[in-house]
Amino acid sequence: MCVIEPSPVVETRRLALRAPGGQDVSRLAALANDPDIARMTLRMPHPYTAGDAEAFVLAVAGQDPARAVTFVIEHEDHGPVGVIGLFEDSDPAPEVGYWIGRPFWGRGYATEALEGALVWASRRWRRRAMVAGHFIDNPASGRVLEKAGFLYTGEVRKGFSRARGADAETRRMVWLA
């Protein structure tokens, strides 16, 4: 039987993936209150307020660690730079989703965090496959997923983006350990 850590910490070369806490609320709200971040997610509202960040931290604290794990992506020098989460949904394999604050785009943090989370998921969470998706108009996210070993499935799904207030087409991908 696999014992799940309630608040795991994953360390990579430059990052620590850890549970979000109250100390992160203002930073997460500041980074996430960007329409170009929110519109590339399904669940994130825009504007994103401190109240949204507080609700997020509380929701994560209440997650069943056997079904979902969410990490703040913390850089050793810059502090929190984004969020990555792994969760069971309607797909046969758990899904991964992430976002990085605009000041930290293009530095490889999303790829590094994703690779660290996948190693943790396969070794500690005992998952052999993960799924992910990116909106068709966000090819940069697709490149992050490809670098981490995800492959396109050929499936395109429509999903409601809260920040867009509309459906967006999502290219689906899969990763196998």
Side-chain angles (χ1 to χ4, degrees):
M1 183 173 134
C2 177
V3 176
I4 302 295
E5 308 160 271
S7 295
V9 175
V10 177
E11 294 186 357
T12 68
R13 189 172 65 78
R14 300 176 292 176
L15 307 170
L17 311 181
R18 60 163 177 82
Q23 75 276 14
D24 301 312
V25 166
S26 62
R27 174 67 171 215
L28 292 176
L31 289 173
N33 190 31
D34 180 327
D36 289 334
I37 291 172
R39 69 184 305 276
M40 294 303 172
T41 71
L42 289 172
R43 297 170 189 84
M44 189 182 294
H46 185 76
Y48 192 91
T49 66
D52 293 314
E54 287 172 8
F56 166 76
V57 169
L58 287 173
V60 169
Q63 287 177 330
D64 174 357
R67 295 185 43 81
V69 180
T70 303
F71 300 102
V72 164
I73 303 167
E74 185 168 55
H75 185 273
E76 58 192 3
D77 296 327
H78 303 299
V81 297
V83 170
I84 188 165
L86 308 117
F87 55 92
E88 292 184 350
D89 205 355
S90 59
D91 285 299
E95 183 160 354
V96 63
Y98 54 87
W99 62 266
I100 299 289
R102 182 189 298 268
F104 307 104
W105 288 358
R107 298 184 191 190
Y109 298 155
T111 301
E112 186 174 331
L114 180 57
E115 289 171 343
L118 292 171
V119 167
W120 178 85
S122 66
R123 291 184 184 163
R124 305 292 301 184
W125 209 30
R126 304 274 194 249
R127 299 308 195 271
R128 309 307 301 158
M130 298 289 295
V131 296
H134 70 88
F135 292 155
I136 286 176
D137 60 350
N138 188 5
S141 188
R143 286 190 297 277
V144 166
L145 291 162
E146 285 179 313
K147 287 180 200 171
F150 279 79
L151 301 171
Y152 284 101
T153 65
E155 179 185 7
V156 176
R157 286 187 194 167
K158 285 190 185 225
F160 183 78
S161 170
R162 196 167 160 197
R164 293 176 187 221
D167 282 340
E169 290 189 330
T170 303
R171 294 186 69 193
R172 303 298 295 168
M173 301 178 80
V174 64
W175 171 87
L176 303 173

